[in-house]
Amino acid sequence: MQLQRIFLPLLALSFLLALSACNSSSSGDAFIGTGGMSGTGGTGAGLGTGGTGAGVGTGGTGAGVGTGGTGAGVGTGGTAATGGTTGCASSATSECSDCIDNDGDGKVDGFDPECISSADDDEGSYATGIPGDNKDETWQDCFFDGNSGAGDDGCRYNTCCLIGGCDPGSEQDSCTNLSQECVDFCGGSTVPGCDCFGCCTMCDDAGCVDVVVNPTAAPDCTYADIHDPAKCPTCQPSTECGSACGCSECVLCPGQLPDDLCGECGDTQECPNNAASCTSDADCTDTQYCSAFCCVEQIIVQ
């Protein structure tokens, strides 16, 4: 009897413990403990009071775009489309010094045959867009100085010399009797392959031709028309002021690329006036402009 009194309470206690275990584990519902831990920077797990708790950390892995992402852009000195580069100043505003292919012909700034100088503001024609330039249809001075009329540089050259047909006298004399001022002032700013007055050896895939590019004598001439004599009349370059180009001189003509140099010239052209060859303005001095792969003097508008 005494044994029964002890056994029955123990049996009841065991039944209550078993019933409690069933309530806490046999159900399909998870018991969320109050003591779970969340770790900053990842998933945190912890043992809470009364069960296992899980939490998601605040620093989980993510992806984002930083402020220094990779990009593409045109910088000072961007590559020119025709080979070579143009290093132009960020303050440049003219079409022939802004590192942009303004006329969409695949040629940029000094590597575009229609760019007369760094101040040329019309990349799509041989006109410069400079006020007062290319106005005098009879008398010229330096075509490349941005003020090509009136002979105000001590230089006087009749436009008839460009296309022939000068009358005897002062007109004819101006073609050959150039002043030293004319040679000294105009020569350094003249593009290789041109004389000082706008008769140039222009080249493209169809070949090279000496044509008038000065708008006072050939207003309809463009680089696309150099083989059309109705628009771009042929001419005889002055031998007193300017420079020739081609294999015999090892000088690239406007429109040519370094690959066009003749074999006997090697890999480097010999620029006129002992100027440096260039692939960008950075290869020239501060007073020069990279044109047709040679450093020429910046124009002086006066």
Side-chain angles (χ1 to χ4, degrees), residues 101-196:
D101 180 12
N102 294 277
D103 58 355
D105 64 355
K107 299 174 177 61
V108 179
D109 294 356
F111 303 98
D112 190 321
E114 290 170 321
C115 278
I116 303 305
S117 68
S118 61
D120 187 337
D121 200 28
D122 184 355
E123 196 172 282
S125 77
Y126 291 113
T128 64
I130 299 173
D133 197 19
N134 304 315
K135 299 299 184 183
D136 193 331
E137 297 181 359
T138 303
W139 292 101
Q140 292 285 292
D141 54 18
C142 305
F143 174 58
F144 298 91
D145 75 345
N147 179 16
S148 57
D152 58 351
D153 303 321
C155 186
R156 187 172 171 85
Y157 192 80
N158 198 288
T159 54
C160 68
C161 302
L162 293 170
I163 57 178
C166 293
D167 294 330
S170 63
E171 290 185 357
Q172 183 65 46
D173 289 344
S174 74
C175 301
T176 54
N177 296 325
L178 299 181
S179 68
Q180 191 59 43
E181 289 177 284
C182 189
V183 175
D184 293 343
F185 183 84
C186 302
S189 62
T190 299
V191 173
C194 297
D195 73 7
C196 296

Side-chain angles (χ1 to χ4, degrees), residues 14-160:
S14 297
F15 177 76
L16 290 174
L17 289 173
L19 182 62
S20 174
C22 289
N23 287 338
S24 64
S25 64
S26 63
S27 171
D29 297 329
F31 183 84
I32 307 292
T34 61
M37 297 180 65
S38 297
T40 300
T43 301
L47 180 63
T49 303
T52 300
V56 178
T58 61
T61 301
V65 178
T67 58
T70 302
V74 177
T76 301
T79 300
T82 59
T85 58
T86 57
C88 56
S90 59
S91 60
T93 57
S94 72
E95 288 193 2
C96 285
S97 60
D98 61 3
C99 292
I100 298 173
D101 180 12
N102 294 277
D103 58 355
D105 64 355
K107 299 174 177 61
V108 179
D109 294 356
F111 303 98
D112 190 321
E114 290 170 321
C115 278
I116 303 305
S117 68
S118 61
D120 187 337
D121 200 28
D122 184 355
E123 196 172 282
S125 77
Y126 291 113
T128 64
I130 299 173
D133 197 19
N134 304 315
K135 299 299 184 183
D136 193 331
E137 297 181 359
T138 303
W139 292 101
Q140 292 285 292
D141 54 18
C142 305
F143 174 58
F144 298 91
D145 75 345
N147 179 16
S148 57
D152 58 351
D153 303 321
C155 186
R156 187 172 171 85
Y157 192 80
N158 198 288
T159 54
C160 68

Side-chain angles (χ1 to χ4, degrees), residues 163-257:
I163 57 178
C166 293
D167 294 330
S170 63
E171 290 185 357
Q172 183 65 46
D173 289 344
S174 74
C175 301
T176 54
N177 296 325
L178 299 181
S179 68
Q180 191 59 43
E181 289 177 284
C182 189
V183 175
D184 293 343
F185 183 84
C186 302
S189 62
T190 299
V191 173
C194 297
D195 73 7
C196 296
F197 314 105
C199 176
C200 298
T201 304
M202 290 284 165
C203 300
D204 61 11
D205 292 340
C208 300
V209 60
D210 292 335
V211 294
V212 178
V213 299
N214 189 323
T216 58
D220 297 322
C221 183
T222 68
Y223 180 62
D225 300 313
I226 60 174
H227 297 286
D228 181 354
K231 294 182 177 180
C232 303
T234 58
C235 58
Q236 183 65 43
S238 170
T239 58
E240 296 184 49
C241 190
S243 63
C245 61
C247 289
S248 60
E249 289 78 17
C250 292
V251 175
L252 291 171
C253 300
Q256 289 186 320
L257 300 177

